Amino acid sequence: MIYKKPICDCGKELIYLEDRIVSTSFKINKNGKVGKRSIEVCEGEMEGHILFCDDCRETYATYYDENERIIRGDRIS
């Protein structure tokens, strides 16, 4: 079967949007405030993912076919 990229109801190709936990570390400066420059950024586990239309802003559930390719699910309200 030929793979077709997921398409929004408006006709535009959907993009894969992935949420991840990101932690950023900062030094505390002399006056007790958070420093301006980060000293470490740690990217954690993935929280979730959706298919997103950059044109009309609709979102869809993400599923995978038997070949682990991304396919579109139902629209998320």
Side-chain angles (χ1 to χ4, degrees):
M1 180 167 87
I2 296 174
Y3 176 74
K4 293 183 180 180
K5 290 183 180 181
I7 303 291
C8 180
D9 288 342
C10 76
K12 181 140 180 164
E13 282 187 10
L14 296 170
I15 57 174
Y16 181 83
L17 182 64
E18 186 175 85
D19 289 331
R20 291 185 176 262
I21 296 173
V22 177
S23 299
T24 308
S25 300
F26 296 89
K27 287 186 177 180
I28 300 169
N29 62 26
K30 293 179 197 176
N31 63 5
K33 305 284 183 174
V34 175
K36 291 183 180 181
R37 294 191 324 206
S38 64
I39 56 174
E40 183 180 8
V41 176
C42 299
E43 191 170 318
E45 294 296 314
M46 184 174 67
E47 284 290 298
H49 51 270
I50 57 171
L51 296 174
F52 176 73
C53 180
D54 203 25
D55 196 36
C56 72
R57 317 302 276 180
E58 289 290 347
T59 55
Y60 298 86
T62 304
Y63 294 106
Y64 300 90
D65 68 9
E66 62 278 353
N67 294 316
E68 297 184 24
R69 297 176 294 196
I70 297 169
I71 57 175
R72 188 188 105 172
D74 292 333
R75 189 169 52 180
I76 301 170
S77 358

